[in-house]
Structure formats: C-alpha cells, structure tokens
Amino acid sequence: MYQIALKMLFGDKAKFLTLVVGLTFSVMLLTQQGSIFCGLMLRTASNIFETGAPIWVVDPKATSFNDVVDMKLSEVLRVRSVQGVKWAVPLALHSAIAQSDEGDTGVAQVIGVDDQTLIGLPKGMTKGRYEDINQPGAVIIAKGRSERYGSPQVGDYFELNDQRVRVVGMLETQKSFSPFPIMYTTLNKVQQFFPEKKRPVSFILVKNEASISPEKLIQKIQTETGLHAYGLWDFVFLTMKFWAANTGIPINLGINVLMVIIIGTVISAQTLYAFMLDNTRQFGTFKAIGIENKTLAGMVLFQSAIVGIIGHGIGSGVISFLGLINPPNSQLAFYTPPQLIGITFVLVCGFCLLAAVLSIIKVLRIDPAIVFRG
Amino acid sequence: MITTVTMPNKTIAVSIQGLNKSFGDGENRLHVLHDINLTLQSGSMNYIVGPSGCGKTTLISIMAGILTAESGETTLFGTPIHQLKKSQKAKFRRENIGFIFQQFNLVATITNAENVAVPLLIQGKPHGKAIEQAKLLLEQVGLGDKINSFPRDLSGGQQQRVAIARALINNPRLVVCDEPTSALDGKTGAQILELLTVVARDPNRCVVVVTHDNRIYKYADQLIEMEDGRIKSIQQVDHTKPSQF
C-alpha cells in the first residue's frame, strides 16, 4: 500500500507542489536564519582560525579571545617547560588609538606576534613581505578593515598611541565580527607601543609534540602551570559563547527561528491536513474494504516523510548553494555547516510528524460509512 | 473470478435478526431501522429498494460490518459479525466482502489495475502479483486495454466496471452495491447489472444491491422493499415469467 500512498501523493501535482513548496520555504527560512547565526558566530572567532595554533593557553580568568587577562612573558617559559610542548610562543592583543596623517582617528586592535617565528601572523599577504615586520615601527594591516583610515597603502605612515608606525604589508584576512581595524606587528614593538603594560602577553600559542595528543598536553599544561589551555575548536566555542552571551544575537535570531518553526509547522500541518481531507473518500474506501488502522497510519506517515525529505532536500540545497556562491569576505555573514542541515532535518521531521499525527487522527476517525453517501 | 455456475442448493449467506439502529441523541434521535429480520441466500441477487431515507444504506452498512447496530444479530456465512471487534470486522471485510459504490470511489491518481489491486494490497499481497491478478480481472470485465489508464480516462460505465473488478478481486462471498447504476445511463446501467448478475450466480456468493432504479429490478432474484426503516415486503422474482417490471 505504500506504493499506492506514494502515487496518491505524487499523482495530484498541484497539491503535491503546494505541500513541497510550503515545506521548502520553511526549511529555507530555517536554514537561512541558522546560516546567518553560524556565519556571525564564526566571524567572532576569525582571528583564532587565522592564527591557526592547535592549543591556546590563557590566564584562568580569560573568557574568550576578546576578553583576556594579560600574562607575564615568563608564563611562556613555564609553558615551554611542559614535556610534550613542541613550541610555545606569545601572542599579544591590545587596543590602541590610531591616527592617520589625514587626521582620521579611531580605535585599532594591535596583535603582536613572536619576533623570531612570526607564528600567529595570518597567511594571505597581498602586498609587502612578512620579514619587513621586523623593521622599526613596522605594522602589517589587515585589508578590508582599514577603510575608515582611508585605505592605507604600503609605505603609508600612522600614529599608534602617539608613536610613528609605517605600513609594510597588507593582509587579506577573514571578516571579523569586531569592527575595529587590525594591525599586526611583533611583540617587541607592542611593548614599545604599550610601555605601561607589564604583562604584554594575551595568549600563548602551543603546538604539541607528535608523541602526545593535544588533549593530553592541554591537561598537562593546566596541571603544571595553573593556566587554562584549550584546543582550537574549544577556544573558538568559548569565544562564540562569549559573543552570544553578551550581544543578544541568539535571542534576536532565535525569535526569528522560533517564528519560522511555528510558521513552518502551521504550513506543513495545514497543507498535509488539507491533502488528507481531500482524500477522505479514498481513505474511507480503504477503511470500508478493511484496511488496518496501522497500515493507514503508516501510509500517512510515509506520505508525510516523503514530503519532508523532498522539502528539506530542496530547501537546504538552495540555501547551501547560496552559501557556496556567497564570497568568503562579503558583508553577508553566512555559513551552513552540516550540523545545521541535520538540525533543520530534525525540525522538519518534527513538523511532518506533527502534521502526520493530526492527519492520522483525522483519517482514523473517518467513518467508513461515508463511502455509501453520494 | 467471474464464473457462471448453475447450482440450485443454496445456503444462507446473510441472516439478520431483530436489527435496530438510530442516529443522534435526545430529541434529535432518529430511529432509522426498526426490528429488521432478513435472510439472504448465496447464489442470489438481492435488491433492497425503497424511497430515499427509508434506511436502505444503513441496512447494507450494518450488513457489511461498517456500521454497528444498537441491537440485533447479523450473521454472514455463519460468522456473527455483531460480536466481532472493530479490527476483526475489518479483517472479515477485507476477506469476505466486496464493495461497489454509487460514485465508484476509485483513486484518481493510480492506474485502473492498481485500483483493482487495492483489496489484495490491503491484504498484504505483493504489489506485482496483485497487479497481475488485477489485469486478468480487468480483461474479464472487458477493460483489458485500459489496464494502465487512469480512472479519469474512462467513461462512467467503464469506471463502474473497474469498481466491480476491484470488488471481486479478493473473491468475496458478499458483494454489496450501493446504487451502482444511478450515475450511469440506462444502457450502461443494464450492462453493469448483467455483469453483476453473472457475479451473483456463483453459488458461494451473495450480491446485495441497494437501488431505487426500477429499470433494473428485472435482474433481481429477491426484492426487499423498505419503508420508514422497516421491511415492507419481500418478493421473489420468477425469471421464468415475463418481467413484471
């Protein structure tokens, strides 16, 4: 009877399309809202991804990449002394007042990387050379985040905390949630720009030896130094959690998602229910002939599942495609992870199950005697 | 299968004793069947006739086990169906009863063969085998060239033939027909009744037709006339004499 159920579903193209379109739009809205949320959250952690270190060590009071408690340089040595550490380098993150020669002024984030290894400096240099960062007063600017200073070029000068700096390179970096321009320099120069800071280190970037897993090394670092250590993704999630908790993004997008869930449920339930109503006489005939209730319920569930799978496939496919063609550094923060597709699938299953249950209740209540009514 | 068998030894197919049925409650209560007693034999074509609202359809609904009477006994081929639970009734129906409806009640979006195969599919028979059997039956009702067509491609008479094939595919012992000709013209109606008459000649089968179409009374073996929820008369039709209808 499931083949018959399938043909009943596909046979009436107009009704079938109504069902699928209703669900597709619900899935598209859900996936789109979810993708924007994921895109925004990923941007809060763009600096972490660009740095690329597998282990991040911070002061125990630090709550995210953007909310750190600075550490002394000696902490780097303590971390290096932990067995299993391949390398450990400092990374500084501080805010400074930047002023262009044209008089544009604003806050900039200054990231200081290890002078010797330059670990922490993102890949993607578009102009200039990495090694020039060691020149006196040299900074490398993240392209795309410096427009407010008149899009400076290599060779241009800045005032940074009242000290003269020169742009020696431009980097193509990921879009960040933070609106402030980022300037990369070395840790030594950070200490020059911020002479008052006795604790210049914000993070210690660590790489494990091949003989030890990152997870085990994290445990060892925490035990032996008293500092907090995180794997890359744990630190990413910590940062996302910080932004989520402090910006209201989840609530605002969550309301949208909730509305979509309600609308999606109503659309799905209503269209599927209407489809069942349209087939009341057919189901009544099946009941008169002697179909078992469980078979009838199975047919409705099957029809509902098919609509759900098709609607989800199209809806999530369209949104995923839009995500793919969205340029990586566009203004639209948009990322559709596989987990989001899974979550929307579960939600769609919920819509369809609810719609199917309502329809099944209706179908099971059909009086087979209706078949004798003209 | 549709076969013509001459077998005079008839057994009791349907036995109804003291049947009462009403709808609604309190002041709105409508008593539609009053103390119905009826016996139908196998191998016979039985017509239940009477004006609209006299209780014909309610009677066949109870007879077919899709409505429950308030009181009385309904026995089909020795099975007291009034004692059966809902699920048992459904099983009994799918194994023993074929239905033919006024509006045909075919599923528009499946082929004629699939429509005919529905009772077998409901019984759990594999799709392929059920379709093969349906094709044979469609050929027997003269629709061998319409197997893969859809009901919408057929005339009313052809649709009713598909419905008859569907009613017969599980080789039922009781075939219940509700106004099978009212949606058809006279000539097509007569053809349908001729087909049903052949069906009714099976000694193991009983055909019950609800109708108020007096043009087809001549095909009946027994005419049960109802009025106001009661059986007014039961008349045996002698086919050896010229038709009185």
Side-chain angles (χ1 to χ4, degrees):
Chain A
M1 286 304 288
Y2 292 101
Q3 248 172 298
I4 299 293
L6 207 57
K7 290 196 172 184
M8 284 173 74
L9 183 67
F10 292 151
D12 191 332
K13 290 184 175 58
K15 283 177 202 155
F16 174 67
L17 278 177
T18 308
L19 273 169
V20 170
V21 166
L23 261 173
T24 299
F25 273 109
S26 303
V27 173
M28 283 173 69
L29 282 169
L30 270 175
T31 315
Q32 182 253 5
Q33 293 291 316
S35 297
I36 288 175
F37 178 74
C38 292
L40 284 175
M41 286 296 105
L42 268 188
R43 286 189 177 184
T44 65
S46 59
N47 293 116
I48 302 172
F49 291 120
E50 283 176 330
T51 304
I55 297 169
W56 289 67
V57 179
V58 290
D59 184 274
K61 288 176 187 159
T63 59
S64 74
F65 181 87
N66 303 88
D67 183 32
V68 285
V69 176
D70 295 327
M71 299 175 284
K72 292 179 182 169
L73 258 175
S74 57
E75 300 289 12
V76 180
L77 299 176
R78 289 181 66 215
V79 172
R80 278 178 186 160
S81 70
V82 175
Q83 205 172 5
V85 172
K86 189 175 182 184
W87 50 253
V89 294
L91 188 78
L93 172 67
H94 303 295
S95 295
I97 300 297
Q99 187 176 23
S100 69
D101 281 354
E102 287 72 35
D104 298 317
T105 307
V107 174
Q109 285 190 309
V110 179
I111 293 179
V113 300
D114 180 53
D115 292 65
Q116 277 76 47
T117 63
L118 301 187
I119 289 172
L121 195 60
K123 307 278 183 295
M125 187 81 116
T126 55
K127 283 179 188 169
R129 297 180 308 166
Y130 283 107
E131 53 268 36
D132 290 344
I133 200 170
N134 285 315
Q135 292 175 9
V139 294
I140 294 175
I141 287 185
K143 197 181 154 193
R145 298 193 205 167
S146 52
E147 289 85 352
R148 68 166 66 182
Y149 303 111
S151 295
Q153 299 299 314
V154 172
D156 287 356
Y157 284 87
F158 265 98
E159 295 281 329
L160 198 63
N161 276 4
D162 298 328
Q163 297 194 43
R164 196 82 171 149
V165 297
R166 188 168 67 93
V167 178
V168 297
M170 305 292 290
L171 277 167
E172 189 72 62
T173 58
Q174 295 173 23
K175 275 268 181 204
S176 170
F177 190 73
S178 166
F180 301 116
I182 291 185
M183 299 181 186
Y184 292 91
T185 186
T186 57
L187 189 66
N188 269 339
K189 283 192 277 291
V190 165
Q191 288 174 298
Q192 292 167 25
F193 299 149
F194 303 90
E196 76 286 0
K197 286 199 181 287
K198 304 299 175 208
R199 295 168 175 262
V201 180
S202 307
F203 315 95
I204 303 167
L205 310 182
V206 177
K207 169 80 177 166
N208 56 302
E209 293 278 10
S211 57
I212 188 168
S213 68
E215 293 75 24
K216 278 189 181 164
L217 185 59
I218 285 168
Q219 287 298 323
K220 279 189 80 173
I221 291 170
Q222 293 196 148
T223 310
E224 293 179 25
T225 66
L227 298 170
H228 274 194
Y230 300 93
L232 176 73
W233 276 101
D234 286 338
F235 198 52
V236 165
F237 286 128
L238 192 74
T239 300
M240 286 179 178
K241 198 173 151 191
F242 169 82
W243 283 97
N246 291 287
T247 59
I249 292 172
I251 291 175
N252 287 287
L253 279 175
I255 289 169
N256 283 355
V257 171
L258 186 68
M259 288 302 293
V260 174
I261 289 173
I262 293 169
I263 292 165
T265 307
V266 170
I267 290 173
S268 316
Q270 198 272 331
T271 46
L272 199 62
Y273 189 72
F275 176 78
M276 298 307 159
L277 283 185
D278 288 341
N279 286 294
T280 298
R281 184 164 279 273
Q282 277 73 28
F283 285 122
T285 305
F286 295 160
K287 286 189 86 169
I289 290 171
I291 197 168
E292 284 184 71
N293 278 345
K294 65 178 181 189
T295 309
L296 209 52
M299 286 172 73
V300 174
L301 261 178
F302 182 63
Q303 289 174 329
S304 181
I306 293 295
V307 171
I309 289 167
I310 294 173
H312 184 266
I314 298 172
S316 57
V318 168
I319 294 299
S320 298
F321 177 72
L322 290 178
L324 283 175
I325 61 170
N326 180 43
N329 264 351
S330 77
Q331 282 299 103
L332 181 64
F334 202 90
Y335 173 62
T336 314
Q339 292 89 336
L340 181 63
I341 303 293
I343 290 167
T344 55
F345 184 71
V346 170
L347 284 171
V348 167
C349 287
F351 296 170
C352 292
L353 188 65
L354 183 68
V357 167
L358 289 174
S359 301
I360 287 168
I361 291 169
K362 172 70 185 169
V363 167
L364 295 186
R365 283 182 181 167
I366 291 173
D367 180 1
I370 63 157
V371 293
F372 285 135
R373 290 170 202 147
Chain B
M1 296 300 136
I2 303 168
T3 49
T4 309
V5 182
T6 307
M7 195 169 161
N9 300 329
K10 293 179 175 177
T11 56
I12 293 175
V14 179
S15 170
I16 292 173
Q17 299 296 321
L19 197 72
N20 284 283
K21 176 70 180 175
S22 55
F23 293 108
D25 291 311
E27 289 178 3
N28 297 324
R29 189 178 176 86
L30 183 65
H31 207 154
V32 291
L33 292 179
H34 301 265
D35 194 28
I36 301 288
N37 294 292
L38 183 64
T39 302
L40 307 179
Q41 290 181 318
S42 58
S44 67
M45 173 79 105
N46 304 274
Y47 279 27
I48 300 174
V49 301
S52 293
C54 69
K56 306 186 295 286
T57 299
T58 305
L59 179 58
I60 60 159
S61 298
I62 294 170
M63 196 185 292
I66 57 177
L67 261 187
T68 305
E70 277 163 28
S71 62
E73 297 177 359
T74 308
T75 305
L76 298 187
F77 301 95
T79 303
I81 63 163
H82 58 279
Q83 291 177 356
L84 299 181
K85 291 177 188 167
K86 238 179 176 178
S87 58
Q88 291 172 320
K89 276 186 186 172
K91 184 174 187 291
F92 186 85
R93 285 200 303 270
R94 64 178 174 263
E95 289 173 355
N96 297 285
I97 302 177
F99 293 90
I100 297 167
F101 309 103
Q102 183 180 351
Q103 299 297 327
F104 323 130
N105 289 6
L106 300 173
V107 182
T109 52
I110 61 177
T111 65
N112 297 321
E114 285 167 330
N115 267 294
V116 174
V118 160
L120 294 182
L121 297 171
I122 285 175
Q123 284 181 16
K125 194 155 190 171
H127 193 267
K129 285 185 180 174
I131 294 295
E132 282 309 308
Q133 208 169 320
K135 285 177 181 174
L136 289 175
L137 211 49
L138 277 171
E139 281 167 10
Q140 289 186 43
V141 297
L143 293 173
D145 58 336
K146 304 287 183 186
I147 284 165
N148 293 318
S149 309
F150 290 85
R152 62 172 175 268
D153 303 325
L154 305 181
S155 66
Q158 287 173 322
Q159 287 190 48
Q160 196 58 297
R161 280 170 183 271
V162 174
I164 290 171
R166 180 180 64 186
L168 298 178
I169 196 161
N170 57 347
N171 201 19
R173 291 193 284 176
L174 176 66
V175 178
V176 177
C177 317
D178 182 41
E179 304 279 6
T181 58
S182 66
L184 307 174
D185 60 65
K187 189 183 167 193
T188 312
Q191 288 171 348
I192 292 298
L193 260 297
E194 279 163 12
L195 185 60
L196 282 174
T197 306
V198 174
V199 169
R201 290 293 164 261
D202 186 328
N204 297 316
R205 184 175 288 144
C206 176
V207 177
V208 181
V209 177
V210 163
T211 186
H212 56 255
D213 183 357
N214 58 12
R215 297 171 301 177
I216 60 168
Y217 285 3
K218 61 185 175 189
Y219 297 100
D221 297 319
Q222 182 170 247
L223 271 178
I224 300 136
E225 191 180 358
M226 290 187 71
E227 193 175 80
D228 296 332
R230 291 182 172 82
I231 292 178
K232 188 180 170 191
S233 68
I234 298 178
Q235 189 183 344
Q236 305 298 321
V237 180
D238 187 349
H239 293 293
T240 59
K241 293 180 180 175
S243 172
Q244 62 260 51
F245 303 109

